[in-house]
Amino acid sequence: MIPRGRPVTNEADIARRAGEPQGPRKQHAYEGDPRLITAREALTTADGAPKGRIAATLAEQHGGTPRTWERLLTAAAAHTDT
């Protein structure tokens, strides 16, 4: 039988379930988010301050909730290359 449609290019394409968006998957939830750069900068200048305090400060300065900024700080610490 001759395969039809778009050729499978990688393992991620094979595992797609019905209803999932097409295209490349993100490495983490905040990939490409400009707030991630702000979170990385805050981590480098924090000098060991608790993540909750940094998140509260970022929420006051840039808007959003401290919990959102905690998640961004966690993503920034875990994924320094993207």
Side-chain angles (χ1 to χ4, degrees), residues 22-41:
Q22 296 299 310
R25 292 182 179 177
K26 292 183 175 183
Q27 296 296 318
H28 54 89
Y30 293 103
E31 183 177 359
D33 192 327
R35 297 175 297 180
L36 198 59
I37 297 167
T38 306
R40 280 193 191 110
E41 291 170 355

Side-chain angles (χ1 to χ4, degrees), residues 1 8-9 12 15 17 30 32 35 37-38 44-47 49 62-63 69 76 81:
M1 178 166 23
V8 175
T9 56
R17 293 176 290 184
Y30 293 103
R35 297 175 297 180
I37 297 167
T38 306
T44 57
T45 60
D47 295 329
H62 301 283
W69 282 102
D81 56 338

Side-chain angles (χ1 to χ4, degrees), residues 6-17 20 23 25:
R6 182 174 67 90
V8 175
T9 56
N10 61 30
E11 295 294 322
D13 287 338
I14 296 171
R16 292 294 169 110
R17 293 176 290 184
E20 287 189 16
R25 292 182 179 177

Side-chain angles (χ1 to χ4, degrees), residues 49-70:
K51 194 186 308 182
R53 186 174 297 149
I54 300 168
T57 304
L58 290 171
E60 288 177 12
Q61 292 175 351
H62 301 283
T65 65
R67 181 64 183 129
T68 300
W69 282 102
E70 284 181 23

